């Protein structure tokens, strides 16, 4: 068992054997680095009526730099 912090900062006990390893979709490397994707919100749907750029934190493969689909969704679709 390892202890980690949940999204709201509460402690969660996770059995690592119940988790699955994630790999790069392209090269199957299993280490990732945190990086940013930028999303552009057009003026039409932006709450302040201006074109807005939104940074979204994602994980990119440390080997080839590919961002897996499931990391890239970001909740803006
Ligand atoms: Zn890769």
């Amino acid at each position: 068992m390892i202890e980690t912090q949940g999204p709201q900062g509460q402690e969660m006990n996770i059995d690592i054997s119940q988790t699955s390893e994630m790999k790069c979709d392209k090269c199957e490397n299993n280490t990732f680095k945190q990086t940013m994707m930028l999303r552009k919100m057009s003026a039409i749907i932006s709450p302040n009526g201006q074109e807005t750029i939104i940074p979204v934190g994602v994980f990119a493969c440390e080997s080839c730099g590919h961002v897996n689909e499931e990391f890239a969704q970001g909740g803006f679709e």
Side-chain angles (χ1 to χ4, degrees):
M1 301 285 261
I2 57 164
E3 285 196 354
T4 186
Q5 297 284 312
Q8 274 81 47
Q10 81 273 33
E11 288 200 352
M12 299 191 304
N13 288 313
I14 292 173
D15 181 351
I16 203 80
S17 71
Q18 302 291 306
T19 65
S20 56
E21 184 177 71
M22 298 199 60
K23 288 182 176 171
C24 173
D25 287 343
K26 265 194 177 164
C27 71
E28 305 218 318
N29 175 55
N30 65 357
T31 59
F32 295 87
K33 60 192 171 189
Q34 191 164 26
T35 186
M36 287 289 187
M37 279 189 134
L38 297 178
R39 311 284 309 196
K40 193 152 69 173
M41 187 188 278
S42 74
I44 302 157
I45 60 163
S46 174
N48 64 9
Q50 295 193 331
E51 195 173 85
T52 308
I53 292 171
I54 303 152
V56 181
V58 295
F59 296 98
C61 171
E62 208 163 41
S63 175
C64 76
H66 176 74
V67 177
N68 284 1
E69 284 287 311
E70 63 188 293
F71 299 147
Q73 281 162 3
F76 285 99
E77 301 303 334

